[in-house]
């Protein structure tokens, strides 16, 4: 019932009330790190990475064993690093520590791939993401990130197929549409680029209304949320 109400208020544009409800949910059990993670994920999807990072820290303070919180905090740290080498290295060390503990954890491989792409190691990133997709073949974001790695490695045709797969799996994957439009435009196919731009335009209003709640569809309080990335 809580998540339904949160999605309802966020879709109406009342993200403040949605956030209040999540804080009230936490207040009922303040030592429950997963509830705090839920708020952090909401803030991340709402375009508030700094506050999301603070809440991931808060979740780990009450429950240091939350592996997904460690990974998501590291991803947020990369986003907030501004390219600072020390900050990037510290965040990457957290990912490496998780992988040392659970070398085949798809969420850890996904997070590591983001850092590899950042450093320009596109081939290793692609290898990691293929392993993620073997485990979660219908994960749109994994296909999107694999497309980004392949594009960085100048494998445009393969990258395009991954972007297409990403939007097939999730028509609301905004970034996949952006990447497709860019690939088509650079390849000289202005009509396909225009089609993607129109698709983005058609979905923009819906994305503004409820994009911030997309992650909540798959996040509640299980041992491991299904959503990666």
């Amino acid at each position: 019932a809580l998540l339904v109400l949160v999605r309802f208020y966020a879709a109406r544009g009342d993200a403040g009330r949605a956030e209040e409800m999540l804080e009230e949910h936490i207040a009922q059990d303040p030592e429950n790190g997963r509830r705090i993670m839920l708020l952090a994920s909401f803030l991340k999807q709402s375009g508030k990475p700094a506050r999301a990072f603070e809440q991931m820290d808060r979740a780990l303070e009450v429950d240091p064993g939350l592996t997904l919180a460690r990974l998501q905090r590291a991803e947020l740290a990369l986003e907030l690093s501004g390219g600072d080498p020390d900050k990037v290295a510290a965040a990457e060390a957290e990912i490496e520590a998780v992988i040392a503990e659970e070398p085949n954890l798809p969420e850890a491989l996904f997070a590591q791939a983001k850092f590899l792409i950042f450093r320009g190691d596109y081939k290793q990133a692609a290898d990691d993401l293929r392993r993620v997709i073997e485990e979660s073949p219908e994960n749109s974001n994994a296909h999107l990130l694999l497309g980004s790695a392949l594009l960085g490695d100048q494998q445009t045709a393969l990258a395009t197929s991954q972007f297409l797969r990403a939007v097939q799996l999730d028509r609301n994957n905004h970034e996949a549409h952006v990447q497709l439009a860019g690939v088509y435009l650079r390849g000289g196919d202005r009509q396909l680029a225009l089609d993607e731009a129109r698709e983005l335009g058609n979905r923009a209003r819906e994305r503004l209304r409820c994009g911030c709640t997309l992650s909540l569809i798959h996040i509640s309080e299980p041992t491991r949320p299904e959503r990666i990335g």
Side-chain angles (χ1 to χ4, degrees):
L2 171 74
L3 298 185
V4 171
L5 285 171
V6 167
R7 289 196 292 271
F8 171 74
Y9 282 112
R12 289 181 59 186
D14 193 352
R17 178 57 186 144
E19 186 178 333
E20 285 176 7
M21 294 186 69
L22 289 167
E23 285 285 13
E24 291 167 5
H25 186 54
I26 293 168
Q28 295 170 9
D29 187 2
E31 298 303 310
N32 189 321
R34 295 187 184 281
R35 294 190 179 192
I36 303 170
M37 273 187 68
L38 182 60
L39 173 59
S41 296
F42 176 83
L43 292 168
K44 179 181 178 182
Q45 293 298 321
S46 299
K48 300 174 182 177
R51 291 190 58 208
F53 182 87
E54 291 172 0
Q55 293 302 321
M56 284 299 178
D57 253 353
R58 180 183 171 193
L60 286 164
E61 284 176 8
V62 301
D63 188 350
L66 289 173
T67 299
L68 293 185
R70 292 169 64 190
L71 294 172
Q72 291 177 33
R73 183 178 64 177
E75 290 181 40
L76 286 162
L78 176 62
E79 184 176 347
L80 294 166
S81 70
D84 182 289
D86 292 336
K87 292 179 180 179
V88 173
E92 193 168 20
E94 184 74 73
I95 301 294
E96 292 171 351
V98 172
I99 288 178
E101 297 165 9
E102 300 187 64
N104 297 313
L105 183 66
E107 291 86 351
L109 294 172
F110 182 87
Q112 178 173 258
K114 290 187 176 182
F115 283 85
L116 291 168
I117 290 172
F118 176 81
R119 295 191 181 284
D121 191 348
Y122 302 116
K123 292 185 184 298
Q124 184 59 55
D127 288 345
D128 283 353
L129 289 162
R130 289 188 180 100
R131 291 171 63 189
V132 173
I133 289 169
E134 284 180 8
E135 181 73 20
S136 306
E138 296 188 359
N139 186 283
S140 178
N141 285 331
H143 287 279
L144 167 62
L145 201 59
L146 176 55
S148 298
L150 292 167
L151 193 61
D153 199 33
Q154 300 184 356
Q155 299 185 59
T156 304
L158 290 175
T160 302
S161 69
Q162 290 301 317
F163 296 143
L164 284 168
R165 183 60 179 152
V167 298
Q168 287 169 356
L169 291 168
D170 180 5
R171 298 300 298 176
N172 290 311
N173 193 325
H174 178 85
E175 182 59 29
H177 285 293
V178 170
Q179 291 286 357
L180 273 175
V183 167
Y184 291 144
L185 189 60
R186 288 189 295 273
D189 198 328
R190 295 175 61 85
Q191 185 57 52
L192 283 177
L194 182 60
D195 289 345
E196 286 300 322
R198 285 174 176 157
E199 182 74 12
L200 283 167
N202 290 338
R203 295 177 180 276
R205 182 174 299 176
E206 180 182 356
R207 182 173 180 268
L208 285 171
R209 286 192 301 107
C210 60
C212 61
T213 64
L214 290 178
S215 68
L216 299 181
I217 295 171
H218 296 299
I219 300 175
S220 55
E221 296 183 75
T223 301
R224 179 185 299 167
E226 295 179 5
R227 191 174 185 276
I228 300 176

